[in-house]
Amino acid sequence: EPEVTQTPSHQVTQMGQEVILRCVPISNHLYFYWYRQILGQKVEFLVSFYNNEISEKSEIFDDQFSVERPDGSNFTLKIRSTKLEDSAMYFCASTTGTSSAYNEQFFGPGTRLTVL
Amino acid sequence: QKEVEQDPGPLSVPEGAIVSLNCTYSNSAFQYFMWYRQYSRKGPELLMYTYSSGNKEDGRFTAQVDKSSKYISLFIRDSQPSDSATYLCAMSAWSSNTGKLIFGQGTTLQVKP
């Protein structure tokens, strides 16, 4: 069964460093998302991406964040200068988005980011 | 007022019990209502979704949506220890260019043998 994959599973970085989180969405999917979950808190929407551009972003997704689909398979989230409060689980999700009905978002297993 | 509110629990029940999980919301634009299950340090996994108001049943799980009250529920019949997880409600005002999900806090459920 196709699944969303994410690497690495755990990333430890120093405050101020750049990190890139990687995702491989399901191959025929067209819409891609990043969400984050700070420990003990709710899953929060960060950004949606369609047709090689951001379609919506939340207030959390400031200038320190960027997303890219560098090739036909990967979808990346970059944090330019990490802060302690960026420590969280980051989930990638994808969906076909081709139906006017509900399109299930499939989530990856997440990357746990720890900023020291 | 938060967009989606969900009691985080924890909720502990004996095996075989009926479990009721609930969320309230404030945004009238929500059209799709989902229940996800999340195991520790894993990604959310879709259990069920409902469009607009009404009920939907899938095996031991029943989802209910009452848009007039802005209230959704998930019922689990004959609960099993394997149902122990965190249950997240999520909602979407699906449009052609976003489809972002707004999640509740999640309710942690423990089913004791």
Side-chain angles (χ1 to χ4, degrees):
Chain A
E1 186 173 321
E3 58 182 13
V4 177
T5 59
Q6 291 186 242
T7 53
S9 58
H10 187 195
Q11 174 91 46
V12 181
T13 189
Q14 296 290 325
M15 191 169 55
Q17 294 297 303
E18 175 183 287
V19 295
I20 297 176
L21 310 182
R22 290 183 168 79
C23 168
V24 179
I26 295 172
S27 63
N28 64 337
H29 284 188
L30 303 175
Y31 287 81
F32 313 109
Y33 306 85
W34 284 101
Y35 294 84
R36 80 170 185 190
Q37 186 177 30
I38 295 171
L39 188 63
Q41 298 187 26
K42 61 173 64 177
V43 176
E44 299 173 290
F45 168 78
L46 290 179
V47 65
S48 60
F49 191 85
Y50 169 71
N51 200 24
N52 279 322
E53 59 183 27
I54 290 173
S55 49
E56 186 173 358
K57 59 184 180 180
S58 71
E59 292 177 354
I60 303 166
F61 194 89
D62 60 22
D63 292 345
Q64 293 300 311
F65 291 87
S66 63
V67 289
E68 195 178 33
R69 188 155 162 84
D71 52 44
S73 59
N74 290 284
F75 179 50
T76 62
L77 174 69
K78 182 194 291 187
I79 309 175
R80 288 188 185 80
S81 177
T82 50
K83 306 183 188 76
L84 295 176
E85 55 265 35
D86 293 328
S87 295
M89 196 77 162
Y90 288 80
F91 294 107
C92 173
S94 69
T95 184
T96 59
T98 54
S99 169
S100 58
Y102 176 67
N103 296 271
E104 179 183 349
Q105 287 186 29
F106 292 82
F107 282 77
T111 292
R112 184 156 61 102
L113 176 65
T114 302
V115 182
L116 303 176
Chain B
Q1 184 181 10
K2 294 179 182 177
E3 269 196 299
V4 181
E5 299 208 44
Q6 183 179 9
D7 186 341
L11 183 61
S12 182
V13 301
E15 182 175 353
I18 296 175
V19 176
S20 173
L21 305 169
N22 311 292
C23 289
T24 60
Y25 64 95
S26 58
N27 188 346
S28 301
F30 289 142
Q31 300 166 297
Y32 293 95
F33 304 90
M34 282 68 71
W35 286 96
Y36 282 82
R37 180 171 59 195
Q38 186 180 27
Y39 294 109
S40 181
R41 299 190 182 278
K42 301 290 185 186
E45 175 191 22
L46 182 69
L47 273 177
M48 299 179 69
Y49 79 90
T50 309
Y51 173 69
S52 193
S53 284
N55 295 355
K56 189 172 186 178
E57 188 173 319
D58 183 2
R60 296 185 294 110
F61 298 86
T62 299
Q64 287 185 352
V65 174
D66 182 348
K67 288 193 77 177
S68 62
S69 303
K70 296 190 177 68
Y71 187 87
I72 72 170
S73 302
L74 177 71
F75 298 96
I76 307 173
R77 290 185 297 281
D78 187 24
S79 55
Q80 302 295 308
S82 57
D83 295 328
S84 299
T86 297
Y87 289 80
L88 312 172
C89 64
M91 305 181 189
S92 174
W94 178 259
S95 63
S96 61
N97 63 343
T98 59
K100 71 178 181 184
L101 298 179
I102 307 299
F103 284 88
Q105 175 83 10
T107 300
T108 300
L109 171 67
Q110 183 181 28
V111 181
K112 296 184 176 178

